[in-house]
Amino acid sequence: MPRLGDWVEAHPHGIYLPAADAWIDPSRPVPRALVTHGHADHARGGHGEVWATPETLAIMEVRYGPQAGRPVACGETLTLGGIEVGFVPAGHVLGSAQIVLDHRGERVVVSGDYKRRADPTCARFEPVKCDVFVTEATFGLPVFRHPETHDEMDKLLTVLRANPDRCVLVGAYALGKAQRVIRELRVMGFDDPIYLHGALQRLCDLYVEHGVDLGDLRPATGAAKAEMQGRIVIAPPSALNDRWSRRLPDPITAMASGWMTVRQRARQRNVELPLILSDHADWDELTATILELAPKEVWVTHGREDALVHWCALHQIRARALDLVGFDDEDD
């Protein structure tokens, strides 16, 4: 008797569709790649063809140069080797998509990275009923229950207002997190200039080009120290404690990441103001999504696989870890 989803093969370096001769999020160059989103552990350069949303292709071009891209809009369906392939929003970052595969009367959804809560910089996750749900488990432990976004942004603004002679330096990853922090602040009515490390500028410009209003952004490099007093400065996490940050006005160091739930990680980075802001589903969102979709099987690509597989077993859902390599949980 054929195994459910046996037309989808899991290899250490990616998910392969033999009938379509295509790979999903491969960790090495392949002739044809279907890419869920633009983070570097999912979207790599050097592929013969890249099938992805227009936004993801634009992100890849910023990072890797021109792509042999085939843009696939969310809601569009195409056929490759008898497999119907559709892209639907994943709610992770700009352009992120789940890849919906229909073949032999079965539906497999490869979700990539995703989150369930609203994000003003990207389309919200769209649940799709399926036979096999392929999920991440970055925050696949019950300890990870992310707080409300508004509360974390309010913490940031409270500290900023209490220290008018200093700045708040927020570490945020260049794709997705930096733009989300900025846009969440704008939604809350914060219209002051926000200063950027140069490494964030190109991707912030790309978000603006795709209709995400980030307001008044200014380069931190070259700005006078007095000009940045009482301001928010956003930089890559690697810049929080290096020479670049020493020219800022007595910065209060913050970090926006789901990993700020773990106090030891905050201490390791010398973070004074941990901001728990994740672009991944937390434990409750992971489990609620599985219950909502009611798949016959769950396949876990990366993260805390064992805990999620165990939870599925307790709920009489068949599950297994795919043991993929090359995925990095530090982009949160």
Side-chain angles (χ1 to χ4, degrees):
M1 182 176 179
R3 179 178 58 82
L4 184 65
D6 64 355
W7 45 276
V8 180
E9 297 179 359
H11 297 262
H13 53 278
I15 293 172
Y16 182 56
L17 307 174
D21 192 21
W23 293 82
I24 298 176
D25 290 353
S27 60
R28 64 189 189 191
V30 297
R32 178 185 291 148
L34 311 179
V35 176
T36 61
H37 67 281
H39 278 139
D41 57 339
H42 292 256
R44 294 168 170 84
H47 301 307
E49 297 177 358
V50 179
W51 300 59
T53 65
E55 298 88 349
T56 294
L57 289 174
I59 290 165
M60 292 181 70
E61 288 185 2
V62 166
R63 292 189 149 178
Y64 306 122
Q67 300 293 304
R70 164 50 163 101
V72 185
C74 280
E76 182 180 354
T77 300
L78 50 98
T79 301
L80 286 173
I83 301 175
E84 289 190 3
V85 181
F87 284 55
V88 299
H92 181 54
V93 297
L94 180 70
S96 62
Q98 305 170 79
I99 298 179
V100 181
L101 308 168
D102 287 292
H103 189 53
R104 296 180 185 169
E106 298 174 350
R107 171 169 286 177
V108 175
V109 173
V110 182
S111 60
D113 290 338
Y114 66 97
K115 66 176 177 293
R116 298 304 305 267
R117 60 191 65 194
D119 177 342
T121 68
C122 65
R124 194 158 189 168
F125 178 95
E126 181 179 314
V128 178
K129 294 280 188 177
C130 54
D131 299 294
V132 177
F133 184 55
V134 185
T135 180
E136 58 148 313
T138 300
F139 291 107
L141 290 173
V143 68
F144 293 111
R145 289 183 163 95
H146 304 319
E148 293 296 327
T149 302
H150 182 279
D151 294 343
E152 297 303 289
M153 294 297 97
D154 195 52
K155 279 168 46 178
L156 170 56
L157 293 176
T158 298
V159 169
L160 182 70
R161 290 164 184 151
N163 295 273
D165 297 327
R166 306 175 68 183
C167 73
V168 179
L169 173 60
V170 181
Y173 287 95
L175 172 58
K177 190 57 59 62
Q179 297 80 20
R180 185 178 173 203
V181 168
I182 295 166
R183 185 62 197 150
E184 295 283 5
L185 289 168
R186 300 310 191 199
V187 169
M188 292 177 66
F190 182 78
D191 296 325
D192 291 4
I194 294 176
Y195 289 79
L196 294 182
H197 186 285
L200 306 181
Q201 190 65 56
R202 284 199 304 166
L203 285 170
C204 284
D205 290 345
L206 185 146
Y207 267 64
V208 172
E209 291 167 9
H210 284 82
V212 180
D213 183 5
L214 300 179
D216 186 355
L217 302 180
R218 301 181 185 182
T221 301
K225 182 178 287 191
E227 181 184 342
M228 290 184 284
Q229 288 180 329
R231 303 299 192 187
I232 293 172
V233 181
I234 302 182
S238 59
L240 291 184
N241 299 299
D242 72 3
R243 184 178 301 175
W244 181 88
S245 67
R246 296 174 193 168
R247 53 181 302 280
L248 302 176
D250 192 15
I252 300 165
T253 303
M255 176 79 181
S257 170
W259 295 110
M260 290 298 98
T261 301
V262 183
R263 293 180 181 179
Q264 182 60 26
R265 292 213 181 197
R267 287 195 292 267
Q268 287 171 348
R269 292 183 177 272
N270 297 315
V271 171
E272 301 168 71
L273 179 62
L275 301 171
I276 304 171
L277 184 69
S278 177
D279 287 326
H280 295 261
D282 67 7
W283 175 256
D284 290 335
E285 292 164 342
L286 287 168
T287 55
T289 299
I290 292 169
L291 291 175
E292 179 183 4
L293 302 184
K296 297 174 184 174
E297 289 189 17
V298 171
W299 301 350
V300 187
T301 56
H302 63 286
R304 280 69 200 158
E305 300 104 319
D306 290 348
L308 194 58
V309 168
H310 178 68
W311 178 90
C312 287
L314 292 176
H315 289 78
Q316 291 76 53
I317 301 169
R318 294 182 61 183
R320 64 188 178 104
L322 298 185
D323 299 319
L324 303 187
V325 298
F327 292 108
D328 183 5
D329 62 23
E330 289 299 324
D331 68 0
D332 193 64

